[in-house]
Amino acid sequence: MSSDEQNWKNALQSKDEFADFISDYFKSHKELTGNYETPSYYEYYTVTLDSKDGLVITLKTGLNQTTNASPALPFKDLEHLSIEEFRQLILNKKFADQSETLTDVFSKMLASEPNAHIKRDE
């Protein structure tokens, strides 16, 4: 586990430490990305800092279809959250695979794995 990944997980335990971590992260990064994927479903996250010290989360979700039918268009959502609301989302988000969390999705990115994402076979 990289030190950034460990720092991320430690910061999640405290409102103030997480706010400091996110502020420091966005001083040197344009965005924070992560994604989760199963054979039938995917979610892609992009988090940016907004001008009011809050965060903007762009979420793109869709279905992975394996038939010849035309795939459904992905759904895109844009949310404005405070840093604490983002921390709560990370702590409480559930996926179909209950062994994976939103913490894990972003931890993979922070560990600097190229094209990091979680892909599960169902």
Side-chain angles (χ1 to χ4, degrees), residues 41-48 55-62 73-81 89 93:
Y41 170 77
Y42 62 86
E43 294 183 9
Y44 295 99
Y45 300 88
T46 303
V47 182
T48 56
L55 301 171
V56 177
I57 301 175
T58 304
L59 170 65
K60 183 175 161 184
T61 59
L73 294 175
F75 174 75
K76 189 173 181 180
D77 189 23
L78 186 70
E79 296 287 336
H80 294 266
L81 300 175
L89 174 68
K93 171 70 177 166

Side-chain angles (χ1 to χ4, degrees), residues 14-67:
S14 163
K15 177 181 177 177
D16 293 331
E17 286 182 39
F18 187 72
D20 291 343
F21 180 91
I22 288 295
S23 295
D24 289 343
Y25 182 86
F26 283 114
K27 285 178 184 174
S28 58
H29 297 86
K30 181 179 175 183
E31 61 186 25
L32 173 62
T33 60
N35 57 53
Y36 173 82
E37 188 172 346
T38 69
S40 60
Y41 170 77
Y42 62 86
E43 294 183 9
Y44 295 99
Y45 300 88
T46 303
V47 182
T48 56
L49 189 64
D50 76 8
S51 62
K52 299 174 190 152
D53 291 327
L55 301 171
V56 177
I57 301 175
T58 304
L59 170 65
K60 183 175 161 184
T61 59
L63 299 174
N64 292 324
Q65 295 184 340
T66 57
T67 64

Side-chain angles (χ1 to χ4, degrees), residues 65-102:
Q65 295 184 340
T66 57
T67 64
N68 289 337
S70 60
L73 294 175
F75 174 75
K76 189 173 181 180
D77 189 23
L78 186 70
E79 296 287 336
H80 294 266
L81 300 175
S82 70
I83 292 173
E84 177 57 15
E85 288 170 326
F86 180 55
R87 184 176 82 92
Q88 290 300 317
L89 174 68
I90 292 167
L91 291 172
N92 296 300
K93 171 70 177 166
K94 303 292 186 217
F95 289 115
D97 178 352
Q98 292 295 312
S99 68
E100 300 297 344
T101 66
L102 194 52

